[in-house]
Amino acid sequence: MKIYVTNVFVDDQQKALEFYRDRLGFAVKRDIDLGGGNRWLTVVSPDNPDGTELLLEPSDHPAVGPFKAALVVDGIPAASFMVDDIAAEVARLKAEGVQFTVEPMDAGAVMMAVFDDSCGNLIQIVQVKG
Amino acid sequence: MTPDELDALFKALADPTRRRIVDRLAERPDQSLFELCAGAVAKGQPVMSRQAVSQHLEVLEKAGLVQVTRAGRTKLHRLELWPLRAAQKAWLGRLL
């Protein structure tokens, strides 16, 4: 058994596509029309196109809104991505207009930072310490 | 400062985890619950569950030691020193 897909619930799939592809730099892996305005929309790391897919899943289930809101209140990220150079990545994303809620900080085995995905989630990036 | 406020202050401080949270916030203000928990891990301190930290923050807030502000929708916590100064003025100062 292996993990082939994981998800974030996004407020708007088109807006999420633009953020995750155009700002973060992920590549679209699947974009399938499911009807009713919903898509099976996944992105992958361009460095690892056969790796785990991230599903940009609609937030329309009634439990999702309160769940996402509660995580944001406490500053808890909905997903975590790994980067090689967190300082360079933060600089690049800020230049793209991405809003950070936690500047790079020491979190034990990793350095981490947190940004707002503009689709209702906080997202963590980590760099494993050398 | 009323006797009830003095009670709340000393009760809030009568716990090592809450004093650690006070120390964390003294080092860096305006931290979310998530940052406070992540910071504890970085310091190699015993892991604190988010639920536990949340409850400790509530006690500190009731004692006036922690003030909550918001950045967007995220709650941030900062230290307020006036209860300590008030306690010194109201009672501790007479002994010291």
Side-chain angles (χ1 to χ4, degrees):
Chain A
M1 203 181 294
K2 66 177 184 176
I3 298 169
Y4 80 103
V5 68
T6 183
N7 76 317
V8 287
F9 288 108
V10 296
D11 293 343
D12 177 323
Q13 283 188 300
Q14 185 56 34
K15 194 175 165 192
L17 173 61
E18 286 160 18
F19 185 87
Y20 283 80
R21 180 191 60 195
D22 303 339
R23 294 215 154 77
L24 299 190
F26 290 132
V28 174
K29 176 92 175 203
R30 294 173 219 281
D31 188 354
I32 301 162
D33 186 0
L34 298 177
N38 286 341
R39 296 145 81 176
W40 181 266
L41 177 59
T42 71
V43 294
V44 287
S45 167
D47 305 332
N48 189 14
D50 295 322
T52 306
E53 296 168 49
L54 180 69
L55 175 65
L56 304 175
E57 187 164 8
S59 291
D60 48 9
H61 188 283
V64 173
F67 165 71
K68 287 173 71 176
L71 291 185
V72 171
V73 165
D74 284 338
I76 299 170
S80 182
F81 305 138
M82 188 172 283
V83 299
D84 293 328
D85 180 345
I86 197 166
E89 204 66 46
V90 168
R92 181 182 75 83
L93 293 174
K94 281 186 174 174
E96 291 282 347
V98 175
Q99 298 290 319
F100 276 79
T101 61
V102 179
E103 295 292 325
M105 65 174 271
D106 188 343
V110 296
M111 291 294 291
M112 69 126 178
V114 180
F115 61 80
D116 186 330
D117 79 347
S118 74
C119 300
N121 304 293
L122 300 176
I123 302 291
Q124 180 183 49
I125 52 174
V126 301
Q127 176 190 343
V128 177
K129 286 186 192 166
Chain B
M1 183 172 235
T2 67
D4 282 353
E5 286 170 336
L6 266 181
D7 288 353
L9 173 65
F10 286 120
K11 274 181 193 157
L13 293 173
D15 180 282
T17 304
R18 286 200 286 274
R19 289 196 299 276
R20 234 164 61 208
I21 292 171
V22 167
D23 285 340
R24 287 290 81 75
L25 293 176
E27 282 171 22
R28 195 160 58 85
D30 297 327
Q31 297 190 59
S32 68
L33 177 65
F34 175 74
E35 285 173 85
L36 279 164
C37 294
V41 173
K43 297 266 176 190
Q45 292 173 342
V47 174
M48 302 186 284
S49 78
R50 286 170 185 160
Q51 198 57 32
V53 173
S54 180
Q55 285 167 5
H56 285 311
L57 283 169
E58 214 167 289
V59 175
L60 290 167
E61 194 184 343
K62 277 187 185 144
L65 282 166
V66 161
Q67 195 199 351
V68 174
T69 60
R70 293 218 174 217
R73 289 171 297 146
T74 303
K75 275 168 75 176
L76 302 180
H77 306 85
R78 65 167 61 181
L79 201 55
E80 274 291 343
L81 293 176
W82 70 261
L84 293 174
R85 296 203 180 93
Q88 183 173 26
K89 207 173 162 191
W91 185 61
L92 284 173
R94 278 192 269 135
L95 307 174
L96 295 172

